[in-house]
Amino acid sequence: MKKKKPYKDFSLLDFQDKFSTEQICWDYLVKMKWPDGVTCPHCIDSKLDFIQTRKVFECRQCHRQIYAMAGTIFHKSRVPLRKWFWAIYLMATSKKGVSMLYLQSQLGFGSYHTAWLLGHKIRQAMAQRDSLYTLGGTVETDEILIGGKQSLEERRLKGDNKTPFLIAVEENSNGGPRFLSFEELETIYEEHIVPAIKNNVRIGSTRKSDGSGVYVKAQKAGYKHERSVEMKEPEKTHEHLKWINIITSNLKRYLLSTHHGVFPKYRKAFLAEFAYRFNRRYWPHQAFDRLLYACIYANPAPLPVLSA
């Protein structure tokens, strides 16, 4: 017997036909959140009543009310669920991402702020989902700087506008890229890079890096290490970290072409979005279902959290 897929496949036309009304979207969310039926988290085998006018379930035993969107990124949102679904679909399936101006225009939001808030809530769900996983096997690691070009005068007056990140790329058995992760760094020194490596790469993995002494010291934490010194062999080092160089180039093109650059405080969120899509590129028709699942099980993200 063929094993049932955990996620459903949707082409653009499938998605458009399937989610044509608000009620259908709500029913689909409920089914995904409670695949075995809605239950009271406080009572065992208690029956529930459904109050249609408020779309809320009420436990007959303890009388607690259960909302489908409570505890998700949709919590207390006034945006119709159908627009949420379209925003999730567009952000999940577009290879280059979508700008929030595009979302505002296509989904008919009255203000840019509404589209901005939806986009960042979805990015928060992406980041939380990817934080559940770590990389292993052979992993390329390096630090990158994200930010625009500055003259010496601008840097002197305004300070450095670049944000350092650790980038890690897991290689598959053929030496190609498999999975990707980023972590924002306070500095590019040992005390911040080594903990970031531990957060993203499993102990015992083989790390490929350049000649930086920081990565040599990380070997003491239990990693195997393949090192290539750029000053001695620049071409070999470029090939040694081939996928980091290619992915970094694609990342910067995405930030500039789609979003025309991003503010420093939000760079972490945009890199999380890029990594999330990269890590699921082999399942394009499952992109919506996978991201909806992440949004349902992500912690609520109110404005103060997103703006912090």
Side-chain angles (χ1 to χ4, degrees):
M1 184 176 178
K2 191 175 180 180
K3 188 177 180 180
K4 186 179 179 181
K5 288 183 179 180
Y7 300 106
K8 294 181 180 178
D9 292 346
F10 291 105
S11 67
L12 176 59
L13 291 179
D14 292 336
F15 179 83
Q16 183 175 312
D17 292 341
K18 172 69 175 177
F19 302 106
S20 57
T21 68
E22 189 74 7
Q23 184 62 47
I24 290 173
C25 295
W26 190 87
D27 291 341
Y28 195 81
L29 184 148
V30 170
K31 183 65 177 175
M32 181 172 279
K33 188 173 184 179
W34 294 289
D36 299 320
V38 186
T39 57
C40 177
H42 304 282
C43 304
I44 300 176
D45 298 328
S46 175
K47 293 184 178 181
L48 301 174
D49 292 317
F50 180 61
I51 304 173
Q52 178 67 42
T53 55
R54 297 175 55 211
K55 290 190 180 300
V56 61
F57 298 93
E58 185 172 290
C59 178
R60 291 184 182 179
Q61 186 170 324
C62 68
H63 301 291
R64 284 187 171 89
Q65 295 187 336
I66 303 163
Y67 293 84
M69 292 191 282
T72 72
I73 68 165
F74 313 111
H75 186 59
K76 292 186 178 180
S77 174
R78 296 181 181 179
V79 175
L81 200 54
R82 189 164 175 242
K83 291 190 177 185
W84 268 106
F85 274 36
W86 268 108
I88 291 170
Y89 181 85
L90 292 171
M91 291 184 66
T93 58
S94 175
K95 288 185 178 181
K96 296 182 180 179
V98 293
S99 70
M100 296 305 99
L101 278 174
Y102 180 82
L103 277 190
Q104 180 190 2
S105 172
Q106 293 299 311
L107 301 183
F109 293 129
S111 70
Y112 174 79
H113 182 264
T114 302
W116 181 93
L117 192 59
L118 256 69
H120 274 289
K121 283 175 179 282
I122 293 169
R123 290 185 190 100
Q124 185 85 351
M126 290 174 167
Q128 288 185 31
R129 190 67 185 168
D130 266 0
S131 69
L132 300 175
Y133 308 104
T134 53
L135 308 183
T138 300
V139 183
E140 296 180 18
T141 55
D142 201 3
E143 69 278 1
I144 59 173
L145 296 173
I146 301 298
K149 293 182 179 179
Q150 284 180 298
S151 66
L152 291 175
E153 183 66 14
E154 287 176 327
R155 191 177 301 177
R156 184 180 67 81
L157 294 174
K158 301 179 181 179
D160 195 348
N161 70 346
K162 297 185 184 298
T163 306
F165 286 87
L166 174 78
I167 177 174
V169 181
E170 178 181 325
E171 295 182 356
N172 59 29
S173 57
N174 298 319
R178 191 180 181 200
F179 298 120
L180 166 70
S181 70
F182 297 102
E183 181 164 330
E184 186 173 352
L185 302 169
E186 286 188 43
T187 69
I188 56 173
Y189 299 115
E190 177 185 356
E191 60 267 27
H192 296 121
I193 288 183
V194 173
I197 292 174
K198 291 180 179 179
N199 290 340
N200 290 274
V201 183
R202 293 190 291 275
I203 299 295
S205 301
T206 299
R207 291 185 308 98
K208 297 170 73 173
S209 71
D210 58 20
S212 172
V214 171
Y215 297 102
V216 177
K217 293 176 181 177
Q219 190 173 358
K220 298 177 182 178
Y223 298 101
K224 300 173 185 177
H225 188 208
E226 294 181 7
R227 184 187 185 198
S228 180
V229 181
E230 185 172 9
M231 291 183 67
K232 293 181 179 180
E233 302 173 296
E235 292 184 3
K236 184 178 178 181
T237 301
H238 190 275
E239 185 64 24
H240 187 63
L241 301 177
K242 173 183 177 181
W243 297 114
I244 281 184
N245 292 321
I246 292 173
I247 290 170
T248 300
S249 177
N250 292 340
L251 167 66
K252 291 182 178 181
R253 192 177 301 118
Y254 148 76
L255 293 174
L256 288 173
S257 63
T258 303
H259 301 290
H260 305 290
V262 295
F263 289 108
K265 68 187 295 185
Y266 300 123
R267 286 170 182 162
K268 180 179 178 180
F270 283 92
L271 267 63
E273 177 188 355
F274 181 90
Y276 178 91
R277 271 197 305 273
F278 181 91
N279 291 337
R280 290 155 185 83
R281 64 197 181 281
Y282 295 121
W283 307 284
H285 287 133
Q286 294 180 8
F288 168 74
D289 237 33
R290 287 174 177 271
L291 185 49
L292 177 62
Y293 186 90
C295 290
I296 289 173
Y297 288 97
N299 296 325
L303 183 59
V305 172
L306 299 174
S307 301

